[in-house]
Amino acid sequence: MFFRKRSKKTIDKDAVAARLQHIAFIMDGNGRWAKAHGLPREGGHKVGATVFEKITRHCFDRGIRVVTVYAFSTENWSRPQKEVDAIMALLSDYLDYAEKKFKDYDARLVILGDKSRLSAELQEKIDRIERASADRGHVLNIALNYGARNELVSACNELIRAGKSTVTEADISDALYTRGCPDPDLVVRTGGDVRISNFLLWQSAYAEFYFTKTLWPDLSTDEVDRAIYDFCGRHRRFGGL
Ligand code: IPE
Ligand code: IPE
Ligand code: MG
């Protein structure tokens, strides 16, 4: 029994941890949330950033070791510059928070994606935090300038440079941005769209999916608990019986 009486206080952390090592979120719906509240799109991203901080901490508290969030895709550069700048500024602020606070919940920061297109300032901050947090137990992966196709192409090129003429599945896994990280067990997408949008294509081969119409800024820890509960009741067969 994972959730006795489905009450928050009685969630069995060890039972969740045994089944759900890695949860990933496609944080979608900030723009629509802003529109519904009469705000510019940037206002939705601002609230979305605080929700992201809350949800991440909640997942760690629930016994989940790895949390991945899709923050900015390789395709999101096509948005208006004002919106891109606002998202990058929020990420920079979040990194300041991570640098101060991550130690308290034993969290390591890993950025998934091509960092070369980010500002020099952001790259320096990321390198510093990634290095300082490398030995910690929990992992927060932030997918930033991330695209799964770009990741696979970059992995292939890395393997070619290493002189490989044939490759194994393990070679590819070890050349992805997620190297060393378990595959996601559960992928949650908010915002009502039922698609992957170029996220963790290789790693999600056997992931479970949870789609909700809730817009990201409205996502509550109770709904995350419902997703976890739903996941824990599923029968994962991995092609077997
Ligand atoms: C946030 O949601 C995800 C990012 C790309 C930063 P959106 O900005 O895509 O919000 P919607 O889908 O337009 O509502
Ligand atoms: C997916 O959301 C990317 C992130 C959450 C960062 P998008 O809003 O970019 O995806 P599409 O355009 O609806 O597929
Ligand atoms: Mg969207």
Side-chain angles (χ1 to χ4, degrees):
M1 179 88 87
F2 295 100
F3 289 60
R4 264 167 256 118
K5 292 187 198 145
R6 297 186 68 168
S7 128
K8 270 197 276 184
K9 290 196 192 85
T10 55
I11 287 178
D12 187 336
K13 194 169 162 171
D14 292 338
V16 171
R19 289 186 67 129
L20 180 40
Q21 263 198 291
H22 182 177
I23 190 167
F25 292 95
I26 300 176
M27 309 188 286
D28 198 24
N30 291 349
R32 280 163 284 167
W33 185 93
K35 194 172 178 198
H37 289 77
L39 294 168
R41 292 181 59 84
E42 295 73 33
H45 295 309
K46 193 168 178 195
V47 177
T50 64
V51 170
F52 145 60
E53 181 196 318
K54 174 182 77 180
I55 298 292
T56 302
R57 269 189 288 120
H58 180 73
C59 290
F60 291 150
D61 287 346
R62 285 285 176 257
I64 301 169
R65 193 173 71 77
V66 183
V67 177
T68 299
V69 291
Y70 200 6
F72 193 86
S73 75
T74 45
E75 289 73 39
N76 288 148
W77 295 106
S78 66
R79 296 189 178 199
Q81 193 59 42
K82 183 166 164 260
E83 180 171 349
V84 171
D85 290 346
I87 294 171
M88 292 301 154
L90 285 165
L91 279 159
S92 181
D93 290 349
Y94 181 78
L95 291 173
D96 293 339
Y97 164 86
E99 190 158 30
K100 285 197 213 100
K101 288 281 179 193
F102 265 31
K103 215 172 168 203
D104 298 350
Y105 38 98
D106 191 32
R108 169 183 179 190
L109 175 81
V110 179
I111 298 295
L112 310 178
D114 176 5
K115 289 179 255 191
S116 68
R117 198 168 166 184
L118 306 176
S119 71
E121 192 202 339
L122 215 47
Q123 289 187 46
E124 272 164 38
K125 223 183 252 192
I126 289 167
D127 286 348
R128 196 170 66 234
I129 304 172
E130 282 186 334
R131 260 184 282 115
S133 65
D135 295 331
R136 303 203 187 124
H138 294 108
V139 180
L140 172 65
N141 293 313
I142 302 183
L144 180 53
N145 188 23
Y146 175 88
R149 288 185 171 184
N150 162 279
E151 178 182 40
L152 283 161
V153 168
S154 117
C156 291
N157 284 324
E158 186 175 313
L159 294 166
I160 291 167
R161 280 195 301 275
K164 296 262 185 198
S165 51
T166 58
V167 295
T168 62
E169 290 190 8
D171 288 332
I172 293 178
S173 291
D174 291 345
L176 297 175
Y177 296 125
T178 48
R179 67 198 70 178
C181 182
D183 285 340
D185 300 294
L186 175 60
V187 177
V188 175
R189 181 172 185 142
T190 58
D193 287 313
V194 183
R195 58 176 172 253
I196 303 294
S197 302
N198 204 9
F199 187 51
L200 302 180
L201 295 179
W202 174 275
Q203 299 90 333
S204 297
Y206 266 107
E208 297 292 322
F209 287 85
Y210 184 93
F211 293 99
T212 170
K213 288 194 168 68
T214 303
L215 302 173
W216 177 262
D218 286 328
L219 187 69
S220 65
T221 53
D222 281 352
E223 185 164 11
V224 172
D225 283 347
R226 285 199 293 280
I228 295 171
Y229 181 80
D230 184 273
F231 168 85
C232 287
R234 295 189 196 180
H235 178 202
R236 301 178 80 188
R237 287 181 289 279
F238 298 100
L241 297 178

